[in-house]
Amino acid sequence: MRKIGLGLLAVFLGIGAAFAAPKVDDSKDWRDVDPANLVLMDVRYGTIAIELDPQFAPANVARFKALVRAGFYDNTSFYRVIDGFVAQGGKGGESFKQWPTIKGEMDRPAGGLDFTPLGAPDLYAPQVGNVDGFPVGEEKGRAWILHCPGTIAFARDKTADSAATEFYIVLGEGARQLDRNYTAFGRVIDGMQYVQKLNRGDVDVDNGVIPLVSRRDPIIRVRMASDVPPIQRPHYQVLRTDTARFAAAKDARMHPNSPYLVRKPPAALDVCTMPIPVRTVAH
Amino acid sequence: MRKIGLGLLAVFLGIGAAFAAPKVDDSKDWRDVDPANLVLMDVRYGTIAIELDPQFAPANVARFKALVRAGFYDNTSFYRVIDGFVAQGGKGGESFKQWPTIKGEMDRPAGGLDFTPLGAPDLYAPQVGNVDGFPVGEEKGRAWILHCPGTIAFARDKTADSAATEFYIVLGEGARQLDRNYTAFGRVIDGMQYVQKLNRGDVDVDNGVIPLVSRRDPIIRVRMASDVPPIQRPHYQVLRTDTARFAAAKDARMHPNSPYLVRKPPAALDVCTMPIPVRTVAH
């Protein structure tokens, strides 16, 4: 039998090939993820690995770490989940004296960041690119983490400085409108497939809140990787986004050279769809 | 206790409110989905409802219907699934004498379609909008269904006219580069949450093919709604996208007026993120 059906494969080869296991030492192209900024969130489908970035939101990152280390999120749930938008988790609708509201950090000065422009326009921001793999927007000297799929941010009440404990993970690009309105402070670097498995609510009925508690996916356990014994701790590396290698990968995606393409795609690139390679390294 | 945590809710209210259950007869705002163009695909998580559009790809829609009615997809699987890209299904890698390759229908004349422009720019096409709820691009007198999340298209070999039986459903906006390169012929109108639950493969290892057969999500059964007894058949309606009501919904999304927004979002709208309301009607 002739092999067909895998016809879509080569469309991605340009990307896959750029990151194929190299024979040479390429360690300078990769950045180690600091276990002190790595969150391991267990859901029933697997473990979601989230890298926090204190450069963008030091106070909010500190709060999230403190909540994690206090076991606050253990045995809570993703109770409001809207497909294509966000999965919201925590102890829905409660406030806690020991966790007062904190100041929003929706953006920060653009200076002092290792920002690499994407090299393509964006619908929502005048300039977009990457900082250490995080998708970032820039405008008039300010910078912020974009609400791309995988971004984690704090939910809040109506005022800017009203976040306390609840967070959400972005599921789809419908959340880009929340850029600079909520404090985005990290991103999923592994296990996004488990986030996508979370049971959804109905935006038209309860605005995404899942009424049946048993249908809400539990957040089983959340730990800082730095609190996990080193031998059990995953060692992640993220491809550096300030390298010639990443620039070549972006170029290959904007100008794909695949035998499967019968028409040249437009030379466009949505920053949220540019894969940021992540790998684990054996101890 | 003060209720917080639902802080993200109102961000979506502008959209929800536009489609809240009305007291008046609004039937003229809705279009009935023809059961002859409605596919019901059972996976272990639920039923995925797909509307086919013969306006865009008559020969490919006819082929897909014939395959469904022949039971071709029953007991096959989604065997190649790449998060943020596509879920590919069918009998991976085989060709069949009784299902010869068919001509690609990547685009069609723009004339004769009830096309409503989105009213906002797009990264990939000079003009985008909707036809009967389908996301559509236009350029120089040609029109095509966009590779937005939920779009279904035929996979193929390297040449334009080499599709036969395998299909894919778009999972994320990373697939927009496939626009006009593959024949898109329908979209998921209900059950996208079940598509997002499909087990993923690893793009870096086997280009998304799931090596362990037991990890591939089965396609349990696929039927044309017109072949289901009327009393068991869901009656779907899709909000008409050529109405003042949909125009108002797009405007509300581009210019959200929510007490939760502390900064006015840019007046942008990604065509793939504009919700197209769907409802079921009791028999």
Side-chain angles (χ1 to χ4, degrees):
Chain A
M1 298 238 194
R2 188 166 60 95
K3 292 282 172 187
I4 63 159
L6 301 182
L8 268 163
L9 289 187
V11 173
F12 241 60
L13 280 183
I15 296 146
F19 307 119
K23 299 279 179 281
V24 296
D25 175 18
D26 68 341
S27 56
K28 69 175 180 5
D29 289 339
W30 299 83
R31 177 180 60 81
D32 287 310
V33 174
D34 183 350
N37 288 325
L38 180 62
V39 175
L40 302 172
M41 181 179 290
D42 298 336
V43 294
R44 71 175 99 182
Y45 313 110
T47 297
I48 302 162
I50 301 166
E51 184 178 12
L52 310 177
D53 194 341
Q55 291 186 100
F56 282 90
N60 283 262
V61 164
R63 166 61 64 90
F64 193 73
K65 286 182 187 178
L67 287 159
V68 168
R69 301 189 80 176
F72 180 88
Y73 296 117
D74 297 354
N75 304 309
T76 61
S77 71
F78 284 99
Y79 70 93
R80 176 180 178 243
V81 186
I82 299 172
D83 191 54
F85 189 53
V86 303
Q88 186 168 344
K91 298 183 185 173
E94 289 187 44
S95 61
F96 302 89
K97 223 183 307 180
Q98 65 273 45
W99 303 107
T101 58
I102 52 172
K103 202 168 148 46
E105 295 165 307
M106 280 74 160
D107 58 15
R108 55 152 281 166
L113 292 171
D114 180 24
F115 178 81
T116 305
L118 180 70
D122 181 72
L123 292 179
Y124 296 89
Q127 171 78 287
V128 294
N130 293 94
V131 172
D132 291 342
F134 292 86
V136 168
E138 274 196 7
E139 184 179 22
K140 295 176 185 165
R142 305 293 293 176
W144 61 93
I145 296 177
L146 302 171
H147 276 70
C148 290
T151 291
I152 184 169
F154 268 121
R156 58 168 171 76
D157 209 337
K158 282 180 194 163
T159 57
D161 303 328
S162 57
T165 67
E166 296 212 29
F167 70 93
Y168 59 88
I169 298 175
V170 175
L171 294 173
E173 298 201 26
R176 279 295 305 277
Q177 284 196 310
L178 305 185
D179 285 351
R180 297 177 95 179
N181 265 291
Y182 292 81
T183 300
F185 57 83
R187 73 179 189 97
V188 174
I189 58 169
D190 195 17
M192 194 59 203
Q193 59 185 305
Y194 308 131
V195 180
Q196 292 292 4
K197 278 180 176 283
L198 297 172
N199 287 335
R200 304 312 201 243
D202 186 341
V203 68
D204 292 323
V205 177
D206 293 299
N207 218 328
V209 174
I210 302 169
L212 199 61
V213 172
S214 64
R215 283 287 297 167
R216 298 176 183 174
D217 267 302
I219 297 173
I220 297 168
R221 180 177 62 163
V222 190
R223 292 176 294 172
M224 294 308 305
S226 48
D227 293 334
V228 174
I231 194 71
Q232 295 168 19
R233 184 192 295 170
H235 176 181
Y236 281 106
Q237 294 185 323
V238 176
L239 193 83
R240 292 178 58 137
T241 43
D242 58 356
T243 55
R245 182 166 167 179
F246 188 66
K250 286 187 290 187
D251 189 66
R253 199 167 172 96
M254 280 185 77
H255 307 282
N257 180 21
S258 160
Y260 285 83
L261 292 176
V262 296
R263 167 189 290 271
K264 199 180 165 61
L269 180 57
D270 177 340
V271 64
C272 289
T273 68
M274 181 63 209
I276 309 294
V278 172
R279 68 182 187 186
T280 51
V281 179
H283 294 282
Chain B
M1 298 238 195
R2 189 166 61 94
K3 292 282 173 188
I4 64 159
L6 300 183
L8 268 164
L9 290 187
V11 172
F12 241 59
L13 279 184
I15 297 146
F19 308 118
K23 300 279 181 279
V24 297
D25 176 16
D26 69 341
S27 56
K28 68 173 182 4
D29 289 338
W30 298 84
R31 175 179 61 80
D32 287 309
V33 174
D34 183 349
N37 288 326
L38 179 63
V39 175
L40 302 172
M41 181 179 291
D42 297 337
V43 294
R44 69 176 101 180
Y45 312 111
T47 298
I48 302 161
I50 301 166
E51 184 178 13
L52 310 177
D53 194 340
Q55 291 186 101
F56 283 90
N60 283 262
V61 163
R63 165 61 62 90
F64 192 72
K65 286 183 185 177
L67 286 159
V68 167
R69 303 189 79 174
F72 180 88
Y73 296 116
D74 297 355
N75 304 309
T76 62
S77 71
F78 284 100
Y79 69 93
R80 176 180 178 242
V81 187
I82 299 172
D83 191 55
F85 189 53
V86 303
Q88 186 168 344
K91 298 183 185 174
E94 289 187 44
S95 62
F96 302 89
K97 223 183 307 182
Q98 65 273 44
W99 303 108
T101 58
I102 52 171
K103 203 168 149 43
E105 295 165 306
M106 280 73 160
D107 58 16
R108 54 152 281 166
L113 292 172
D114 179 23
F115 178 81
T116 305
L118 180 70
D122 182 71
L123 292 179
Y124 297 89
Q127 171 79 287
V128 292
N130 293 94
V131 172
D132 291 342
F134 292 86
V136 168
E138 272 195 9
E139 185 180 21
K140 295 177 184 166
R142 305 293 293 177
W144 60 94
I145 296 178
L146 302 171
H147 277 70
C148 290
T151 292
I152 184 169
F154 268 122
R156 57 169 172 75
D157 208 338
K158 283 180 194 163
T159 58
D161 303 328
S162 56
T165 65
E166 296 211 29
F167 70 92
Y168 59 88
I169 298 175
V170 175
L171 294 172
E173 298 203 26
R176 278 296 304 278
Q177 284 197 311
L178 306 184
D179 285 351
R180 297 178 95 178
N181 264 291
Y182 291 82
T183 300
F185 57 83
R187 72 179 189 97
V188 173
I189 58 168
D190 195 16
M192 193 60 202
Q193 59 185 305
Y194 308 131
V195 180
Q196 291 293 5
K197 278 181 176 281
L198 297 172
N199 287 334
R200 304 310 201 243
D202 185 340
V203 68
D204 292 322
V205 178
D206 292 299
N207 219 328
V209 174
I210 301 168
L212 199 60
V213 172
S214 64
R215 284 285 298 167
R216 299 176 182 173
D217 267 301
I219 297 172
I220 297 168
R221 180 176 63 164
V222 190
R223 292 176 296 172
M224 295 307 306
S226 48
D227 293 334
V228 173
I231 194 71
Q232 296 168 19
R233 186 192 293 170
H235 176 180
Y236 281 104
Q237 293 185 323
V238 176
L239 193 82
R240 291 180 57 141
T241 42
D242 57 356
T243 54
R245 181 165 168 181
F246 187 66
K250 286 188 291 187
D251 189 65
R253 199 167 173 95
M254 280 184 76
H255 307 282
N257 180 21
S258 159
Y260 284 83
L261 292 176
V262 295
R263 167 190 289 271
K264 200 180 164 61
L269 180 57
D270 177 340
V271 64
C272 289
T273 69
M274 181 63 209
I276 309 294
V278 172
R279 68 183 186 186
T280 51
V281 180
H283 292 281

